[in-house]
Amino acid sequence: MKITLISKASAILTQYVQLDIVIVDDNSSYFDEAMIKAAKTHGLGRIKRLYQVDRSVLNELVRNPPDVVILDVKGTTSEDVAKDGLDLAAHLFKATSSYIVVTSAHKHHLTNRTVTVDYVLEQRLLTVVDFLQELRKIRDDCLSRKKRFYQKLGLRAALMLGKLAVTHS
Amino acid sequence: MELPVDADIVTLPECVICNRKKCRTAPVWKLDICEYGISYVNDGQTIQRANASGTLRHLAQNLRHELNKVLQVVVSEACKIDPSVSTRRIIPSNPASKIVGAALIIDHFINMISGVNDFHADPVKHSQLGECIALVDVVEKCIDIYGIIVSTHRAASMKVQMSVSDTIEIRYATSIVEYMIAVLIDNTYKHAIDESLVRIYVENVRADMIDLVFENQSKLLQQPDRIFAKGYQEKKTSDGFGFGLFWAQILVDSYNAGSESECRMQLCHEQDFLSVDYEVGLQRFIIRNIRLA
């Protein structure tokens, strides 16, 4: 039983490397509770849902950058912080190691303007299933491009747990 | 010669509203208004422009901004009925999925009817940050979505024969390609003979581009050369106002405007006779030179 548990823990740790994700969108219809709950259940991240970025939130994002920041372009920044979400995204992209994602209902504006981000979430209308798929893509890309040591750390822990399982068997 | 008193006058070397820029060739000091509601005059050195008080662009942005969140509410509520629904694939027999499909149709129409002029972006290259999408998924989604609409003016059912490999992927301007496919599929539902064969296939496959063909059987067109004209309807009783294919051409312009490739996308139409009495025609719509991922 104990060995099975350790093995399972090892497998889970390998497969799911928890990321700290901050989602900023002024409208609660998007990235709603059901989506966030499903993401947490599937081990796709520790998610913090915000509605606007003011000066104190910005300082926190820069001081303690999360692994992933998902930003709506319009209505998510106060005037003293940035012109819009895209400007904020560009600033965070340069100032932090966070994986920056932007989204907007005006999606072709995202692809028609040079944006300095890691990923453009083009589909604005999302079901829970769509959101989980997008999060998996973001997680995998983030781990491969920006968070390699997390993946290695997770794998080392998984291997250690795996060895423990073999030793005790 | 003076511009309107309440005009917001700007003098910029490039207008971001459209790609055609007919205003550039306007006679000097002749005040005119373009089809997007922008009044302009060529002063010999620059084009002076004044936005109308409520341009289509303003309407499009407002409509999209206000309605998109309402559509998300609709989608979220559909998820409560069936958590397995997705916007990537619509299952017409599933009520919750149909609700999502209806929301997607509204989203398409908002972007096309009110916002198609918004696709006239300044010539910034389309971002390459978008995801790769299998072309067959886009086509199948549009077939399912637009099959939701039921009307006496639309084909109730069609026999769709699809020959698009799932290895064909697009990445460049995928939204524009999706809207074009949506227009052609919707057009097919509107005009195809009920129970007739609809073929969708790929031809002229190259390393970096393909042509996508939509073939359907409909009543013979008497003026096929006008099929892309704004407001043209073969029959006055048909569903719609004759703008879909015109807008599809505008999408082609936008696709090409942001493209670095010398090979330009084209939307073409061909008609063949199918019946002896010249009543039934085979319509072929070809999107040429779709860039592959």
Side-chain angles (χ1 to χ4, degrees):
Chain A
M1 177 75 171
K2 187 179 173 184
I3 298 156
T4 310
L5 282 173
I6 293 173
S7 299
K8 275 188 181 171
S10 169
I12 289 167
L13 193 60
T14 307
Q15 193 178 1
Y16 296 108
V17 179
Q18 289 275 15
L19 298 177
D20 285 311
I21 301 173
V22 169
I23 300 177
V24 187
D25 195 314
D26 60 331
N27 197 299
S28 56
S29 308
Y30 303 106
F31 309 110
D32 60 12
E33 282 179 23
M35 287 185 191
I36 292 170
K37 188 178 170 189
K40 286 177 181 170
T41 305
H42 284 79
L44 284 169
R46 287 176 291 268
I47 299 176
K48 191 173 178 183
R49 180 73 165 86
L50 300 176
Y51 296 88
Q52 205 184 42
V53 174
D54 56 19
R55 182 56 64 179
S56 64
V57 172
L58 175 64
N59 290 340
E60 185 58 26
L61 287 174
V62 172
R63 219 179 8 249
N64 296 308
D67 299 305
V68 177
V69 179
I70 301 176
L71 282 167
D72 176 29
V73 167
K74 194 170 169 58
T76 48
T77 62
S78 56
E79 284 178 7
D80 60 325
V81 167
K83 191 174 71 175
D84 58 18
L86 280 174
D87 276 351
L88 174 61
H91 171 68
L92 290 174
F93 184 84
K94 284 179 201 161
T96 71
S97 58
S98 299
Y99 185 92
I100 306 298
V101 180
V102 289
T103 185
S104 172
H106 311 280
K107 62 181 173 183
H108 54 271
H109 285 304
L110 296 178
T111 53
N112 285 350
R113 179 173 156 182
T114 305
V115 291
T116 316
V117 296
D118 292 293
Y119 184 69
V120 174
L121 182 48
E122 290 188 44
Q123 179 60 28
R124 186 66 162 138
L125 294 178
L126 294 171
T127 65
V128 173
V129 166
D130 299 332
F131 178 60
L132 296 181
Q133 281 180 351
E134 291 288 346
L135 267 193
R136 285 192 187 97
K137 268 189 272 186
I138 288 167
R139 177 202 63 188
D140 292 345
D141 196 38
C142 175
L143 287 175
S144 71
R145 290 206 287 124
K146 277 200 161 182
K147 294 290 176 187
R148 288 181 199 273
F149 85 94
Y150 272 91
Q151 190 180 27
K152 288 176 184 171
L153 191 65
L155 280 172
R156 281 200 198 107
L159 282 171
M160 189 177 69
L161 287 169
K163 277 182 188 172
L164 273 174
V166 169
T167 307
H168 284 87
S169 66
Chain B
M1 187 72 64
E2 288 180 4
L3 291 169
V5 174
D6 59 349
D8 174 25
I9 299 172
V10 293
T11 304
L12 290 174
E14 293 291 332
C15 174
V16 299
I17 302 294
C18 78
N19 292 321
R20 291 193 180 91
K21 296 181 173 42
K22 286 180 185 169
C23 50
R24 275 200 205 148
T25 56
V28 176
W29 293 119
K30 181 178 186 287
L31 182 66
D32 206 345
I33 299 176
C34 76
E35 59 185 318
Y36 301 106
I38 310 295
S39 45
Y40 62 90
V41 64
N42 181 351
D43 65 7
Q45 290 181 328
T46 59
I47 306 295
Q48 302 246 6
R49 294 182 290 112
N51 288 328
S53 58
T55 61
L56 287 172
R57 167 166 275 193
H58 293 134
L59 290 171
Q61 286 181 339
N62 269 292
L63 206 57
R64 197 164 44 232
H65 182 71
E66 297 301 337
L67 287 186
N68 195 273
K69 50 188 169 239
V70 176
L71 292 176
Q72 179 60 43
V73 171
V74 171
V75 168
S76 297
E77 293 303 307
C79 290
K80 290 178 186 172
I81 300 170
D82 182 351
S84 70
V85 291
S86 169
T87 58
R88 263 80 174 194
R89 192 62 205 263
I90 302 301
I91 303 167
S93 57
N94 181 334
S97 189
K98 242 172 133 170
I99 291 170
V100 172
L104 290 176
I105 292 176
I106 296 171
D107 186 46
H108 276 172
F109 281 157
I110 287 171
N111 278 294
M112 285 191 287
I113 293 176
S114 65
V116 69
N117 64 297
D118 245 5
F119 289 100
H120 298 297
D122 50 27
V124 173
K125 299 297 174 280
H126 286 282
S127 163
Q128 292 297 311
L129 297 175
E131 58 175 321
C132 282
I133 299 175
L135 191 61
V136 68
D137 290 344
V138 178
V139 177
E140 284 179 348
K141 182 172 99 171
C142 288
I143 291 172
D144 290 336
I145 287 174
Y146 287 91
I148 290 172
I149 305 173
V150 177
S151 158
T152 52
H153 301 293
R154 296 171 77 92
S157 67
M158 304 183 299
K159 294 170 195 158
V160 180
Q161 188 183 86
M162 183 121 69
S163 308
V164 180
S165 169
D166 55 8
T167 59
I168 294 176
E169 291 184 327
I170 56 173
R171 192 178 187 194
Y172 171 73
T174 54
S175 301
I176 290 179
V177 176
E178 179 172 332
Y179 294 144
M180 290 182 66
I181 291 172
V183 166
L184 293 177
I185 296 286
D186 188 45
N187 190 69
T188 300
Y189 273 108
K190 282 177 181 167
H191 297 290
I193 293 169
D194 210 5
E195 299 282 334
S196 63
L197 178 65
V198 172
R199 292 179 62 222
I200 301 170
Y201 57 93
V202 164
E203 64 179 19
N204 197 13
V205 178
R206 289 142 285 170
D208 58 345
M209 288 189 183
I210 50 120
D211 294 350
L212 182 62
V213 184
F214 296 79
E215 204 175 83
N216 72 81
Q217 299 171 24
S218 72
K219 204 166 173 191
L220 197 72
L221 297 176
Q222 300 303 317
Q223 301 178 73
D225 52 323
R226 294 193 58 207
I227 200 165
F228 294 114
K230 193 196 306 184
Y232 173 71
Q233 286 178 282
E234 176 70 17
K235 51 179 180 165
K236 295 303 171 193
T237 53
S238 66
D239 209 7
F241 294 90
F243 282 93
L245 292 175
F246 170 73
W247 287 324
Q249 290 283 23
I250 294 178
L251 291 171
V252 169
D253 285 348
S254 183
Y255 185 97
N256 288 329
S259 173
E260 294 168 335
S261 171
E262 289 178 359
C263 211
R264 315 307 271 170
M265 177 189 261
Q266 295 172 328
L267 177 58
C268 310
H269 170 256
E270 298 167 357
Q271 175 173 250
D272 289 323
F273 302 107
L274 265 190
S275 68
V276 176
D277 53 7
Y278 302 115
E279 286 221 354
V280 178
L282 182 70
Q283 314 299 336
R284 291 178 84 234
F285 290 92
I286 309 155
I287 307 176
R288 297 200 191 281
N289 305 324
I290 298 176
R291 280 174 53 176
L292 301 178

